[in-house]
Amino acid sequence: MSEIKKSNSVDAATPADPSNSSTEVATRLYTRPDLEKIAAGEHYLNRIKSFVLRTGRLTPGQAKAIETLGPQFLLPYTAQAIDWEKSFQSTNAGRPRILEIGFGMGETTAKIAQVRPDDDFLAIEVHEPGVGALLKVIGEQNITNLRLMRHDAVEVVQNMIPEGYLDGVHVYFPDPWHKKRHNKRRLIQPEFVALLASRIKPGGYWHLATDWQEYAEQMMGVLSGEASLQNTGTLDGGYAERPSYRPITKFENRGIRLGHGVWDLVFKKK
C-alpha cells in the first residue's frame, strides 16, 4: 500500500519553465495549478499516511532474492522523472507502461505480467517481505517485464511520473481503513485521484478492485467525480466485470466462498 506523507523533494516535482529547452519541457510533471500545490506541500497528501509500515521478518529466500535480484529488478527512488526504457532495459519505446500500487506479496502482479508479456509493469510496495517474495518469483519464473520499487507511491507519482505517461494503473484491494475515524487514511481520495489521473495517457485505463463494499462505493463516487475519467463499467452501480487478466487470488476465493463480494472498477482517461 502506498504512503501519503510530506515529500522532501519538492524541487524535483516543480514543473519546467516553458522558457527552458525542449528537453526540459518534455519532462514537465505538472500543468494543473492544483497539482502544483500538492507538490508544494499545500495539501492533505503531504500529511496523512494510507498505511502503517509493519515490521516483518524476511525468509532466507526473500532475503537472497533481494540481494541477488534487487540490483536488476528493484529500482531506486530518485525524485526525478523516470527513464522507463533504461529501467526496463528495453529498446522498444512503444511498450505500454503499467503502474501498480500496493502489490502485497505479489501473487497477482506476477501472474498479470506473465499473461501480458508485451507490457511493462512498475509495481510499488513498501513492505519488504512482499518485495522479497515477488523478487523470488521473478527469478524462479524468469519474468523480465516487471520492475519493483519500495517507496511511498504518492511521492513516486508526484516526482517520477510525468503527466500523460502511463497506459494503465492497477490498484487492487487497498487497505479499506474500515473504521470511520480512519477513512481519511484511505488511498482513494479526490486529490490523489486527480494527481494519478493526470499521469495516465488519454485512452489509458485505471483498474481498481476491493472486497469492501463501502470502500467500493467511495471509490465509485470519487473516480466518477474526476472530470478527466470516464467509467467503462456496465454492471449495476457502474461496476465492471473482472477483466480476464486479473486472476482470482486464494484470499479472494475464500471470501467468495463465505459470501463476500468483490467489486472491480475500470475507468478510462478521456
Side-chain angles (χ1 to χ4, degrees), residues 100-125:
E100 179 174 356
I101 296 177
F103 60 77
M105 297 304 286
E107 174 188 356
T108 293
T109 307
K111 290 180 178 178
I112 293 176
Q114 288 175 302
V115 301
R116 293 170 56 175
D118 295 327
D119 298 348
D120 289 334
F121 296 85
L122 173 60
I124 302 173
E125 176 58 60

Side-chain angles (χ1 to χ4, degrees), residues 36-242:
E36 293 181 7
K37 289 181 180 179
I38 290 172
E42 299 178 26
H43 211 276
Y44 97 101
L45 290 176
N46 300 285
R47 300 194 302 273
I48 300 174
K49 298 179 181 179
S50 68
F51 74 96
V52 173
L53 186 58
R54 302 183 301 272
T55 57
R57 178 175 296 180
L58 290 172
T59 68
Q62 292 167 358
K64 183 177 180 181
I66 291 174
E67 180 181 357
T68 60
L69 298 172
Q72 179 179 356
F73 294 98
L74 185 59
L75 305 181
Y77 172 75
T78 63
Q80 299 176 354
I82 186 172
D83 185 335
W84 193 280
E85 283 69 41
K86 181 179 179 181
S87 298
F88 282 82
Q89 301 174 341
S90 172
T91 57
N92 182 0
R95 287 173 62 88
R97 304 168 178 144
I98 313 299
L99 175 70
E100 179 174 356
I101 296 177
F103 60 77
M105 297 304 286
E107 174 188 356
T108 293
T109 307
K111 290 180 178 178
I112 293 176
Q114 288 175 302
V115 301
R116 293 170 56 175
D118 295 327
D119 298 348
D120 289 334
F121 296 85
L122 173 60
I124 302 173
E125 176 58 60
V126 295
H127 300 294
E128 192 174 26
V131 172
L134 184 50
L135 284 171
K136 187 171 181 289
V137 173
I138 287 173
E140 292 170 345
Q141 301 185 16
N142 192 30
I143 302 173
T144 60
N145 61 330
L146 180 56
R147 296 295 184 273
L148 313 184
M149 190 174 293
R150 187 181 178 219
H151 195 78
D152 168 10
V154 174
E155 289 188 353
V156 175
V157 173
Q158 284 179 332
N159 302 326
M160 294 189 68
I161 307 296
E163 284 191 341
Y165 193 75
L166 301 170
D167 293 275
V169 173
H170 297 168
V171 179
Y172 299 145
F173 305 99
D175 194 326
W177 292 100
H178 60 278
K179 294 182 179 180
K180 188 173 182 179
R181 68 178 183 274
H182 291 156
N183 284 178
K184 62 186 178 182
R185 292 184 177 272
R186 289 176 172 175
L187 178 66
I188 305 304
Q189 305 281 359
E191 295 82 3
F192 180 63
V193 167
L195 176 68
L196 187 48
S198 74
R199 277 28 184 185
I200 304 173
K201 296 177 181 178
Y205 72 93
W206 188 347
H207 180 197
L208 308 92
T210 181
D211 57 356
W212 196 265
Q213 183 175 2
E214 190 271 332
Y215 198 7
E217 293 168 353
Q218 178 189 331
M219 289 177 173
M220 181 62 68
V222 172
L223 271 77
S224 296
E226 170 52 45
S228 67
L229 298 176
Q230 178 180 351
N231 189 2
T232 68
T234 58
L235 301 180
D236 289 346
Y239 299 102
E241 294 278 3
R242 177 181 62 84

